[in-house]
Amino acid sequence: MPELAGKPVIDLLVTLTDWDNECDVAAGLETLGYREQSTNDGLPRRFFYRQSPGGSVEAVHLHLTPQHSTYGRDMIVFRDSLIGNAELAQQYVALKRQLAADNPDNIDAYTAGKSNFVAQVLREAAGAFGNDRLLTHQRAELGRAQRYQNFALASQFGVAVIAAMSAYSNDNSVQLNLAISGFILAAIWFAFARKQRAHRSAGDQARRVVLLASGLDENFSAEQRLRIFDKFSVPIIGVSLLREEAYFASRSAPGYRRLAELIEESAYWTRDLQKASATILQSVLAIIGIIMALALWLGIPLLPSDVTISMARVLVAILVFMLSSDLVGAIFAHREAASSISEIIQRTETAAARGYPAADVLLLMSDYNAIVESAPFALPGVYELRCQSLTRRWRAYLENKQQ
């Protein structure tokens, strides 16, 4: 750990992929000058030390553990916590200096004095990777992704507005300024679209992790934890954490049944939001089509030809916006996602009838994630609009299943 004061001893952690080879490895370490010291803590680990060339003090400590052991993982998590938090590292340094001053000749008391600090850091690190925090990160990242998507859509609409405005001017300087504005809005759209993809990727990964962690009570290595949290860029400091027991209705013990129930609940809500989004977009498209048809029907015979031409240009600009934003494609995408998610719900019922086979449930999870990650976002405000009625329907659905 850079710039961290400590004893002049190098700490090494060695993990074995095959713990059955521990005796052979221990014998090899002894030929390198290491000596074993008993740990007496009942853990599957062995501790070695090697003295300095002069033989007066210990220069190296080596911890031998099985791969994925809790002891080894905690050492890595503690180290990474100090590296990532300079203030915490200095608190640890101050504690060690005080313990060294109070116990100059008692290494056991020195070590015991650090135990509460280490345990607290590990508890906080475990809480930082808890399901409540992951759910909160998931909501924050996906919410930010949807916001950027809305900004990108607004940029596309701005380009359409500029195209419509250009129909009313023949001045070259005005046309040039409008063109420049259009290019700027296009660049803004590109930036928003890129940010949207990054936040959505982080949110989608959080959802996959939550399903495994909450459904199967799986633990992840320290390296995977850091990789996952490195992708989160939306701060949640000061935000009330989403509670796992309030987010999911399932009260089953961790296992493949619980994982299937989490998938079923998520699919039930997602299907409704996708259907509602498709219906709203379809209604908007129908209204726009009616307005355009009426404008052409009333305008052509009544308005002067130059006005009719300008109006036609505006309608063409609106049509370009609808095509560039893929409004029609979004309707079909929402419908297809809802249909595919309905199939997922049916498959969870089949898995339940078969006793939740592990392979079936894992395939369900993989297919559900693939569908959700390829589906468009639900429209803004749809969740708030549908939340109360959907909650009542979901409760009724659960009661009917239990009968």
Side-chain angles (χ1 to χ4, degrees), residues 1 19 22 42-43 104 116 119 169 178 197 215 269 296-297 317 329 394:
M1 290 174 277
W19 189 242
E22 58 168 316
L43 296 176
N116 288 337
S169 175
L178 289 175
R197 287 192 295 270
W269 283 72
L296 290 173
W297 180 57
W394 169 245

Side-chain angles (χ1 to χ4, degrees), residues 12-35:
L12 301 178
L13 173 65
V14 178
T15 60
L16 296 183
T17 55
D18 186 355
W19 189 242
D20 292 337
N21 295 328
E22 58 168 316
C23 293
D24 293 337
V25 174
L29 289 172
E30 289 181 359
T31 63
L32 298 175
Y34 287 91
R35 297 293 177 263

Side-chain angles (χ1 to χ4, degrees), residues 179-193:
I180 293 173
S181 301
F183 280 112
I184 292 174
L185 284 175
I188 293 174
W189 169 84
F190 178 79
F192 283 146

Side-chain angles (χ1 to χ4, degrees), residues 157-223:
F157 181 73
V159 173
V161 170
I162 289 174
M165 292 172 58
S166 66
Y168 292 96
S169 175
N170 293 321
D171 186 273
N172 291 336
S173 61
V174 172
Q175 293 290 340
L176 179 60
N177 290 328
L178 289 175
I180 293 173
S181 301
F183 280 112
I184 292 174
L185 284 175
I188 293 174
W189 169 84
F190 178 79
F192 283 146
R194 184 176 181 181
K195 287 181 176 293
Q196 184 266 346
R197 287 192 295 270
H199 287 292
R200 178 158 191 179
S201 175
D204 287 339
Q205 184 179 56
R207 184 190 59 257
R208 296 192 296 269
V209 174
V210 166
L211 287 175
L212 285 173
S214 180
L216 300 180
D217 195 25
E218 289 290 341
N219 293 318
F220 299 88
S221 66
E223 293 81 6

Side-chain angles (χ1 to χ4, degrees), residues 19-98:
W19 189 242
D20 292 337
N21 295 328
E22 58 168 316
C23 293
D24 293 337
V25 174
L29 289 172
E30 289 181 359
T31 63
L32 298 175
Y34 287 91
R35 297 293 177 263
E36 185 170 7
Q37 180 176 312
S38 176
T39 55
N40 297 321
D41 54 13
L43 296 176
R45 73 181 183 97
R46 301 177 73 164
F47 175 74
F48 300 83
Y49 66 91
R50 190 175 69 181
Q51 294 182 328
S52 62
S56 58
V57 295
E58 296 176 6
V60 179
H61 289 169
L62 189 148
H63 308 264
L64 188 66
T65 69
Q67 192 175 32
H68 306 308
S69 74
T70 301
Y71 178 82
R73 185 180 70 239
D74 286 347
M75 293 182 71
I76 294 174
V77 170
F78 182 71
R79 179 202 65 186
D80 292 340
S81 297
L82 295 185
I83 290 176
N85 190 331
E87 182 179 354
L88 185 67
Q90 291 309 309
Q91 293 175 7
Y92 186 52
V93 169
L95 173 63
K96 293 201 298 178
R97 291 188 187 277
Q98 184 62 47

